[in-house]
Amino acid sequence: MRKSEDYYTFNEYMKNNNLTPSEEDYIEMIYRLTMENDKVQVKDISTKLNIKPPSVTKMIKKLDNKKLLNYKKYDNIELTSLGIKVGANLLNRHNTIRKFLEIIGIKESIHEETETIEHTINVETLIKIEELISFFYENPDVLSRLKNYQEKNKN
């Protein structure tokens, strides 16, 4: 369970730099790719996000200017220490929202809903959702009762 102080640097960074949802998606994806492979290149990001390489390069340059990553033409893309912190928080936010949506029974549009919510949720709400998820996992009987209730009241 994260505490609010874990988000302090991330919050302060976000207040001062205002990443767009698209920039957040890039940082989150680069962070994901870094976890899979040490070497991340434009083509990897292009493939994962279904975006043409010239557009990826343009965004990478923006993120380099914001000190979130280091980029040299034709070289690997590396997140800075700040980029790693931001990426980890973005991935945590994504996974938390997805788990919450799974718990409440969202199935068909879960990816779209996660993507929509993650760019607008505030830290306090995210922390409370994390607490709720932990509560359900620590009290499987309550989670089971919720699932039974949902099944009984299906439309």
Side-chain angles (χ1 to χ4, degrees), residues 19-139:
L19 292 177
T20 66
S22 182
E23 290 170 333
E24 289 181 351
D25 286 341
Y26 272 83
I27 292 296
E28 181 184 333
M29 183 53 68
I30 294 167
Y31 182 77
R32 286 174 185 259
L33 288 167
T34 300
M35 290 176 17
E36 295 171 12
N37 187 351
D38 290 346
K39 297 177 182 1
V40 177
Q41 298 182 332
V42 168
K43 65 179 177 162
D44 303 320
I45 300 164
S46 174
T47 301
K48 287 286 189 179
L49 292 177
N50 297 305
I51 298 172
K52 293 182 179 169
S55 297
V56 172
T57 300
K58 185 177 176 184
M59 179 63 79
I60 294 303
K61 288 177 182 177
K62 276 187 184 179
L63 296 170
D64 184 50
N65 288 336
K66 290 188 175 195
K67 310 291 185 219
L68 291 166
L69 54 81
N70 295 313
Y71 171 70
K72 293 181 196 123
K73 197 171 184 177
Y74 307 116
D75 201 358
N76 296 323
I77 298 160
E78 295 178 353
L79 292 172
T80 62
S81 59
L82 178 60
I84 290 168
K85 286 178 187 173
V86 171
N89 278 296
L90 292 171
L91 182 59
N92 177 67
R93 180 183 71 181
H94 177 94
N95 290 338
T96 298
I97 293 165
R98 186 175 182 97
K99 283 179 204 166
F100 173 71
L101 293 174
E102 287 171 356
I103 286 172
I104 64 171
I106 304 299
K107 290 185 175 79
E108 290 181 27
S109 61
I110 194 163
H111 182 72
E112 293 82 5
E113 287 295 313
T114 301
E115 287 294 320
T116 301
I117 294 169
E118 73 181 335
H119 297 296
T120 58
I121 196 167
N122 71 40
V123 174
E124 181 182 14
T125 303
L126 186 66
I127 290 169
K128 292 303 178 184
I129 289 173
E130 286 178 327
E131 287 175 0
L132 182 64
I133 291 168
S134 292
F135 172 79
F136 279 128
Y137 288 143
E138 290 173 17
N139 296 279

